[in-house]
Amino acid sequence: MRVAAALSAKRSDDFAKPGKLVEVRFVRGNSLSLTASRLLALMILTAGGDAWRDMPHRLRKADIRRGHKGNERISDMLEELHRTLFAEDDRSWRGKKATRRFSLIQMSREETDEDGGVEAGWIEWEFTPDARKLIQESETYAVLNRQAVLGFRSSYALKLYEVGALRIHRRQPVWRTDMAGLRAALGIPPDVYKDFAQLRRKVLQTAKAEIDQLAHFRVEWSETRAGRTVVELEFRFEPKDAPAQLGTVDELSRHSGGRRARRDGTVETLVEGAVAIGAAERSPPLPAPSPRLAAAPAVPAITPPAAEPGAKPKFAAFPGGSLRYADGAEFLAIGRAYGGGWDVDLIAQAYRAHMGERIARLSGVKLQRSWQGFCESYVTRKGRPQ
């Protein structure tokens, strides 16, 4: 709680979540939706170093809506927090092993007076005695980032992010668990993703992609099998180096509409008000461009380069030096067409830092589209040079 109070005093986006709250598991069949998980994180951030005290805490509705762009009602999220049960290993009055079940919120009060607008009101809540006890007794903590928490699109990714943030600074930043423990920790219902191949694809790989993009660390895992059945998993959390962390900070400050495209290295192009990603995927519409960008002259969409007999393949690899002197005039042409007047080598330097090792895995049309998309997003973020 001293750490939580110190982070709260700094008024930064970082906040501390007690380790016991991170490790508390969902009761079988119970889990929190993504929106309710985000609200719980905002509650812990707001309570700060006073979360363990028997007192009410208050949060503006506008601060909740800032992290939830949909039409979810705050009352629905509060009711979900009230009815979701958590479990912890305990001892009975006879000293026997037991499981204690409890909720985290014992009271909430939501202003319903719409004078000044729905978002002008406040909510008030109190943590249950069981939750306050966990918070007070916790000797470890996870430092989470508010923008990262609100940026996740998978509730499983958010929960694994919390588990990683709790362990990242330990001597051995690993988490070992069996399949039952994994489901209980992440809140995966027992009747969902029964086949591990599907769970790997829908849960683990999705969570890894989001964490590697939004967190200050990366995650890998290994599988232990008994025959053909996966019986145990070991997750390893590795801190990012300085350039990668700067790229993460930059990503968190950008619009979430093209986040998946940037993660996959595909292009973002405006097509009749929507965002077209790659050939078939679509993401939510981006906000209207600023007048400065809207006035920019239109440029034609790129087409796959035509191969000439005996000619060296275009876009085989991104040049390592200046685009003006490297064997890659096609990159220079795209940078000048889509870079909004910025120095092309400056954009190229930012592109290399942003892509990191992924840049070596791209070639041909994928590399061409990725480079064009980055040039366009660079202008969107920076505006046009004066």
Side-chain angles (χ1 to χ4, degrees):
M1 286 295 92
R2 287 194 296 269
V3 174
L7 290 175
S8 179
K10 290 183 177 180
R11 299 185 179 276
S12 68
D13 278 341
D14 292 336
F15 65 100
K17 183 171 183 178
K20 286 198 171 185
L21 277 188
V22 172
E23 295 185 319
V24 68
R25 63 183 186 271
F26 292 99
V27 169
R28 182 180 175 87
N30 274 255
S31 63
L32 285 176
S33 66
L34 178 62
T35 53
S37 297
R38 288 170 172 170
L39 177 56
L40 178 60
L42 291 177
M43 287 176 162
I44 294 171
L45 184 157
T46 302
D50 294 325
W52 66 277
R53 300 182 186 277
D54 185 6
M55 60 178 289
H57 308 281
R58 301 175 181 88
L59 180 62
R60 287 168 49 89
K61 285 187 177 181
D63 293 332
I64 300 173
R65 291 289 299 172
R66 191 181 305 167
H68 302 278
K69 302 300 184 182
N71 296 319
E72 305 92 355
R73 290 187 302 160
I74 293 175
S75 57
D76 290 340
M77 291 185 279
L78 288 172
E79 290 171 8
E80 183 179 347
L81 285 175
H82 276 289
R83 66 175 179 265
T84 301
L85 291 177
F86 297 83
E88 185 188 37
D89 294 332
D90 201 356
R91 292 281 179 177
S92 70
W93 59 276
R94 298 192 303 160
K96 302 290 186 180
K97 289 183 178 180
T99 299
R100 184 159 55 100
R101 299 175 179 85
F102 56 93
S103 58
L104 298 181
I105 308 297
Q106 73 173 1
M107 181 282 296
S108 66
R109 187 179 292 114
E110 177 189 359
E111 290 185 345
T112 57
D113 188 353
E114 297 187 3
D115 183 24
V118 176
E119 295 185 12
W122 290 70
I123 66 167
E124 184 180 38
W125 76 93
E126 294 177 5
F127 291 113
T128 63
D130 290 294
R132 296 199 306 271
K133 180 180 179 182
L134 283 182
I135 293 171
Q136 186 176 15
E137 293 179 350
S138 182
E139 297 180 353
T140 59
Y141 59 90
V143 175
L144 309 178
N145 181 273
R146 179 182 181 276
Q147 294 299 325
V149 167
L150 299 179
F152 285 107
R153 292 294 178 265
S154 163
S155 60
Y156 305 134
L158 175 54
K159 188 62 183 177
L160 188 58
Y161 164 69
E162 294 181 351
V163 172
L166 179 62
R167 289 167 170 78
I168 188 62
H169 296 299
R170 295 182 181 179
R171 182 173 299 177
Q172 295 291 333
V174 298
W175 177 45
R176 296 182 182 89
T177 180
D178 57 17
M179 295 306 300
L182 177 71
R183 288 182 173 273
L186 302 189
I188 306 173
D191 56 342
V192 176
Y193 306 136
K194 294 182 178 180
D195 179 66
F196 182 78
Q198 190 179 28
L199 186 146
R200 183 197 294 118
R201 184 175 66 257
K202 296 291 187 179
V203 176
L204 300 183
Q205 292 178 352
T206 298
K208 171 180 168 55
E210 290 200 48
I211 290 172
D212 288 355
Q213 184 180 33
L214 300 178
H216 57 286
F217 55 86
R218 296 186 177 88
V219 59
E220 300 286 348
W221 76 88
S222 58
E223 303 162 6
T224 302
R225 296 175 178 269
R228 300 179 63 181
T229 303
V230 176
V231 295
E232 187 179 72
L233 296 168
E234 179 181 284
F235 293 88
R236 300 178 302 281
F237 306 97
E238 177 186 354
K240 293 179 179 177
D241 57 21
Q245 292 214 26
L246 290 175
T248 298
V249 172
D250 180 55
E251 178 60 43
L252 291 174
S253 67
R254 301 173 69 180
H255 193 276
S256 61
R259 185 158 286 158
R260 181 174 179 180
R262 294 190 292 271
R263 181 167 67 239
D264 296 340
T266 53
V267 70
E268 305 169 15
T269 54
L270 294 179
V271 181
E272 296 182 357
V275 178
I277 302 180
E281 297 175 349
R282 291 189 179 274
S283 69
L286 289 176
S290 65
R292 290 189 302 175
L293 297 178
V299 289
I302 60 175
T303 57
E308 300 178 2
K312 181 179 179 180
K314 290 187 176 181
F315 303 99
F318 196 82
S322 172
L323 301 187
R324 292 178 173 84
Y325 305 107
D327 184 17
E330 58 270 18
F331 293 101
L332 180 63
I334 290 178
R336 286 174 173 171
Y338 296 91
W342 286 95
D343 180 78
V344 179
D345 284 336
L346 182 66
I347 303 177
Q349 183 179 2
Y351 178 64
R352 296 186 190 99
H354 171 72
M355 293 297 292
E357 296 178 354
R358 292 177 298 164
I359 199 171
R361 298 196 293 268
L362 294 180
S363 63
V365 175
K366 287 187 177 181
L367 177 58
Q368 181 184 15
R369 290 174 173 171
S370 175
W371 168 236
Q372 178 186 322
F374 185 84
C375 292
E376 292 174 337
S377 67
Y378 191 90
V379 180
T380 301
R381 288 181 289 120
K382 301 289 187 179
R384 293 180 177 271
Q386 299 297 327

